[in-house]
């Protein structure tokens, strides 16, 4: 056992011996904010309370109650969920260590920072401190009534509170509070990029890594959040639209009534047909209140153009087959195939615009995109690749690339495409969709298995295994960047990763070998640029024009 003093009191963690990582110190279940219970439900997190004596830090804190988007089951937890974990290789290093804060994904509705998935063993061996966090999810974390009582974004404000706790306390674990890298995947990656523009986060981190998700992606932006809240209340039996009555109603609901309830707002083909793919509670544009800190307000693209924090360095990119996950999220695959094949279907509408435009306005764009991806062939369970490619572009690739172009105009940016294939590519199997594809896909989440051990994956990762070599390379890129802002500071990895800009679009293909390439998915991205320019002129965001 080992003790560390933090602002709130003394923590007792443990010294761990691991075959891959060697010795490191583990502190779990550290409260970084007051429990968001009672009057604090839906509110911004408040500072944690101090404790007397020694607090045990050998077990994780509870996760937020949640709806698992893959299993489609509600998972229990506790609203008292604002805890983080710190793993450090050295409590008293001669030089303070770089710090990496991981923000988990899960569609803003599920996940946690626990070591069943996000253990430290792969990263900590490179001489960095890893911090993982829990935060409030879905309705509990992202309900927005546009009122002072429920302004929205509580879950991402939790992340800010965790970052502030790290800033104030990480030196006690051997960390450098002035060398913090945020990194996250999917919804976690999107949160990372919101932190790059929020006034609440200036000075709290130095670098960022956004994997398969940015704030530019349509699914990260809350669509009519107050209307969504009212629709949810009506679904639960409250017909009032009065602010105080709505607030009282939501405060009285047990969490079991608030988790995993599906409410739709837009015309059927845009939202119901793609039911599982949608995120219904995410980051909202807040109304400004005099007594509340505002995490984010205004238009997402305006923020990307004008509010990126100066000096923040970024790695951003996507997986080769991110869209494969959509087949796990969809509720009815037969219905999806039928809609995609229907000549009168609007299924190929870019989802961002399906929420904002009428059906009549979108018929032509649906047909043009369908023609591009199906090439006139019938979609079936034996031919789902066209849909997978469409999902990858619509939900991930195009908007991630656009975000990178804007960011690179202001700050140093590295772009990647992750295409590595090995026994570590496990998520298509976990999601039960691998049987739809004849090739080995690089699914959404597959990059996680090269950064974290994932306890359920029983594989040989001895230091002589192929898996270890791939893990070592991936974690070297990420930790090199965290240390000094350059993922390839020397020739040890055999490739010099050049910064990205909108003109040359130089990027690193992280496959079974590393390869420098230009313009990821070039023809497909040009097609989507033309679609945006032709049909959604007010939505085009191309910095080269």
């Amino acid at each position: 056992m080992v003790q560390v003093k933090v602002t709130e009191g003394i923590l007792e963690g443990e010294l761990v011996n691991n075959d891959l990582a060697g010795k490191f110190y583990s502190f779990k279940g550290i409260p970084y904010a007051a429990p968001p219970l009672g009057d604090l439900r839906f509110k911004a997190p408040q500072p944690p309370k101090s404790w007397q004596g020694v607090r045990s830090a050998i077990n994780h804190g509870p996760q937020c109650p949640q709806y698992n988007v893959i299993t489609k089951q509600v998972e229990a937890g506790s609203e008292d969920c604002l805890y983080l974990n710190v793993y450090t290789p050295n409590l008293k290093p001669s030089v303070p260590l770089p710090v990496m804060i991981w923000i988990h994904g899960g569609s803003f509705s599920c996940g946690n920072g626990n070591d069943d998935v996000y253990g430290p063993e792969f990263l900590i061996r490179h001489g960095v401190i890893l911090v993982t966090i829990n935060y409030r999810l879905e309705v509990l974390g992202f309900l927005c009534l546009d009122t002072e009582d429920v302004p929205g974004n509580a879950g991402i404000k939790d992340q800010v509170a965790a970052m502030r706790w790290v800033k104030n306390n990480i030196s006690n674990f051997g960390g450098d509070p002035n060398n913090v890298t945020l990194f996250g995947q999917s919804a976690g990656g999107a949160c990372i990029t919101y932190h790059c523009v929020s006034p609440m986060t200036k000075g709290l981190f130095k670098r960022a890594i956004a994997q398969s998700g940015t704030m530019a992606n349509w699914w990260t932006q809350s669509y009519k959040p107050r209307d969504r809240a009212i629709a949810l209340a009506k679904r639960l039996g409250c017909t009032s639209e009065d602010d105080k009555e709505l607030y009282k109603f939501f405060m009285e609901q047990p969490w079991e009534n608030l988790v995993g309830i599906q409410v739709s707002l837009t015309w059927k083909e845009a939202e119901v047909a793609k039911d599982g793919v949608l995120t219904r509670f995410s980051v909202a544009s807040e109304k400004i209140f005099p007594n509340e800190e505002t995490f984010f307000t205004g238009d997402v693209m305006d923020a990307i153009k004008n509010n990126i924090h100066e000096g923040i360095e970024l790695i951003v990119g996507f997986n080769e087959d991110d869209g494969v996950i959509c087949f796990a999220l969809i509720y009815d695959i037969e219905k999806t195939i039928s809609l995609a094949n229907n000549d009168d279907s609007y299924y190929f509408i870019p989802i961002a615009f399906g929420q904002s435009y009428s059906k009549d306005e979108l018929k032509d764009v649906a047909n043009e995109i369908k023609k591009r991806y199906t090439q006139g062939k019938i979609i079936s369970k034996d031919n789902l690749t066209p849909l997978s490619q469409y999902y990858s572009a619509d939900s991930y690739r195009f908007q991630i690339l656009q975000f990178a172009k804007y960011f690179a105009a202001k700050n140093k940016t590295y772009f990647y495409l992750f295409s590595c294939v090995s026994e570590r590519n496990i998520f298509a199997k976990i999601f039960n969709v691998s049987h739809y594809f004849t090739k080995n896909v690089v699914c959404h989440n597959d990059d996680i298995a090269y950064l974290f051990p994932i306890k359920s994956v029983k594989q040989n990762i001895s230091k002589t295994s192929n898996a270890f070599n791939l893990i070592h390379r991936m974690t070297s890129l990420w930790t090199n960047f965290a240390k000094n802002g350059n993922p390839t500071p020397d020739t040890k990895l055999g490739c010099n990763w050049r910064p990205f800009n909108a003109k040359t679009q130089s990027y690193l293909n992280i496959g079974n070998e590393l390869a420098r390439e230009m313009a990821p998915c070039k023809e497909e991205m040009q097609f989507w640029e033309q679609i945006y320019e032709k049909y959604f002129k007010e939505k085009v965001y191309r910095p080269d024009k």
Side-chain angles (χ1 to χ4, degrees):
M1 309 303 293
V2 62
Q3 294 183 357
V4 165
K5 190 178 188 306
V6 295
T7 304
E8 295 78 32
I10 298 173
L11 293 165
E12 187 168 67
E14 57 186 337
L15 174 63
V16 178
N17 285 290
N18 179 268
D19 290 342
L20 280 179
K23 293 182 179 180
F24 64 89
Y25 301 92
S26 169
F27 298 83
K28 299 175 181 175
I30 305 170
Y32 66 82
L37 306 173
D39 291 342
L40 295 183
R41 183 190 256 190
F42 306 125
K43 299 289 198 300
Q46 299 302 302
K49 293 181 172 64
S50 299
W51 59 82
Q52 298 296 317
V54 178
R55 180 187 177 98
S56 175
I58 62 172
N59 295 309
H60 291 296
Q63 69 175 9
C64 182
Q66 57 191 261
Y67 175 76
N68 188 313
V69 296
I70 302 301
T71 65
K72 299 178 175 61
Q73 300 291 321
V74 172
E75 296 181 359
S78 171
E79 291 189 58
D80 176 8
C81 62
L82 303 186
Y83 296 90
L84 56 76
N85 314 295
V86 178
Y87 308 99
T88 177
N90 194 338
L91 289 169
K92 295 181 180 179
S94 58
V95 177
L97 299 173
V99 182
M100 300 183 74
I101 302 177
W102 174 257
I103 299 177
H104 71 78
S107 300
F108 301 95
S109 66
C110 64
N112 59 55
N114 297 352
D115 66 1
D116 56 340
V117 175
Y118 306 118
E121 291 83 357
F122 293 174
L123 291 161
I124 206 169
R125 55 188 297 276
H126 294 280
V128 299
I129 292 176
L130 175 66
V131 179
T132 64
I133 70 173
N134 293 354
Y135 55 95
R136 282 173 285 178
L137 301 165
E138 206 195 82
V139 176
L140 295 170
F142 294 92
L143 185 75
C144 175
L145 292 177
D146 285 337
T147 64
E148 194 165 0
D149 286 323
V150 191
N153 296 338
I156 202 165
K157 291 174 185 175
D158 293 342
Q159 299 169 18
V160 178
M163 293 157 62
R164 288 172 174 171
W165 189 94
V166 169
K167 184 80 169 179
N168 293 332
N169 291 285
I170 204 65
S171 60
N172 299 318
F173 299 86
D176 184 351
N178 297 313
N179 189 8
V180 173
T181 297
L182 303 183
F183 70 132
Q185 181 267 348
S186 195
C191 290
I192 299 298
T193 59
Y194 274 106
H195 291 308
C196 290
V197 304
S198 172
M200 289 179 67
T201 56
K202 282 188 177 180
L204 293 179
F205 67 104
K206 190 172 185 177
R207 301 185 181 95
I209 304 174
Q211 302 169 214
S212 296
T214 73
M215 63 188 292
N217 293 89
W218 60 265
W219 45 268
T220 74
Q221 305 162 26
S222 187
Y223 175 70
K224 296 184 177 179
R226 179 178 166 82
D227 290 353
R228 183 86 67 187
I230 291 170
L232 174 62
K234 289 180 178 177
R235 177 81 174 267
L236 296 173
C238 174
T239 57
S240 176
E241 296 188 12
D242 177 77
D243 288 345
K244 293 195 178 301
E245 289 185 21
L246 280 169
Y247 175 60
K248 181 174 183 292
F249 176 79
F250 280 117
M251 289 293 286
E252 291 173 346
Q253 299 304 303
W255 68 257
E256 290 87 347
N257 287 3
L258 300 176
V259 175
I261 307 298
Q262 307 297 323
V263 285
S264 298
L265 291 182
T266 57
W267 47 273
K268 184 176 180 181
E269 298 258 2
E271 188 150 323
V272 177
K274 296 179 179 177
D275 224 356
V277 180
L278 300 166
T279 51
R280 289 179 167 81
F281 293 92
S282 53
V283 179
S285 172
E286 297 174 50
K287 285 191 173 180
I288 298 174
F289 299 100
N291 299 317
E292 291 289 328
E293 275 192 289
T294 303
F295 177 80
F296 180 81
T297 190
D299 178 74
V300 164
M301 289 316 303
D302 284 344
I304 294 171
K305 292 175 184 176
N306 301 311
N307 298 340
I308 292 172
H309 297 337
E310 184 178 354
I312 297 294
E313 298 166 323
L314 176 73
I315 289 177
V316 61
F318 49 74
N319 291 3
E320 189 170 52
D321 303 297
D322 271 319
V324 166
I325 192 177
C326 295
F327 297 108
L329 301 175
I330 289 166
Y331 293 114
D332 188 338
I333 190 69
E334 300 288 354
K335 178 181 177 182
T336 295
I337 291 171
S338 175
L339 286 168
N341 286 323
N342 188 337
D343 289 339
D344 294 323
S345 173
Y346 294 78
Y347 198 82
F348 285 89
I349 291 167
I351 299 175
F353 305 117
Q355 293 179 320
S356 307
Y357 288 73
S358 72
K359 294 173 76 169
D360 291 340
E361 292 176 284
L362 295 169
K363 186 63 180 276
D364 289 342
V365 65
N367 288 334
E368 193 166 337
I369 293 173
K370 180 177 180 178
K371 182 179 179 181
R372 164 68 170 74
Y373 282 95
T374 66
Q375 300 292 307
K377 296 179 181 178
I378 298 295
I379 302 292
S380 69
K381 284 187 177 180
D382 297 324
N383 182 35
L384 286 177
T385 298
L387 269 186
S388 170
Q389 292 296 313
Y390 161 66
Y391 290 144
S392 291
D394 182 32
S395 295
Y396 300 100
R397 293 176 188 164
F398 180 68
Q399 289 156 339
I400 289 172
L401 187 61
Q402 299 309 303
F403 176 87
K405 289 179 180 180
Y406 276 108
F407 202 98
K410 300 282 183 68
N411 295 343
K412 185 167 73 170
T413 302
Y414 294 92
F415 198 91
Y416 72 89
L417 186 158
F418 184 80
S419 62
C420 196
V421 175
S422 78
E423 66 269 28
R424 299 295 293 176
N425 295 52
I426 57 173
F427 281 92
K429 290 182 180 177
I430 289 175
F431 299 155
N432 195 30
V433 295
S434 59
H435 58 282
Y436 291 134
F437 302 94
T438 56
K439 72 160 192 161
N440 292 319
V441 295
V442 186
C443 185
H444 195 64
N445 287 32
D446 271 342
D447 48 334
I448 291 173
Y450 294 82
L451 295 172
F452 299 100
I454 309 179
K455 286 183 177 179
S456 63
V457 181
K458 308 296 183 184
Q459 292 177 347
N460 172 25
I461 47 174
S462 67
K463 291 186 178 181
T464 59
S465 66
N466 177 61
F468 177 81
N469 291 333
L470 297 171
I471 290 163
H472 176 74
R473 192 184 65 191
M474 183 75 170
T475 52
S476 294
L477 291 169
W478 263 225
T479 55
N480 285 342
F481 179 72
K483 291 173 183 177
N484 56 40
N486 185 348
T488 52
D490 50 42
T491 59
K492 291 180 180 179
L493 297 178
C495 185
N496 177 24
W497 189 351
R498 294 175 179 169
F500 171 93
N501 64 62
K503 185 174 182 180
T504 65
Q505 296 186 45
S506 176
Y507 73 98
L508 188 67
N509 189 330
I510 306 176
N512 290 57
E513 303 293 336
L514 298 181
R516 278 201 320 243
E517 298 178 2
M518 310 291 279
C521 310
K522 183 177 180 179
E523 291 184 5
E524 182 182 42
M525 294 300 96
Q526 288 176 341
F527 169 79
W528 279 86
E529 287 173 353
Q530 293 165 4
I531 287 291
Y532 271 60
E533 289 176 332
K534 182 176 179 180
Y535 294 101
F536 314 114
K537 288 183 171 56
E538 75 280 15
K539 291 288 184 180
V540 172
Y541 34 92
R542 291 180 63 191
D544 53 339
K545 284 196 173 184

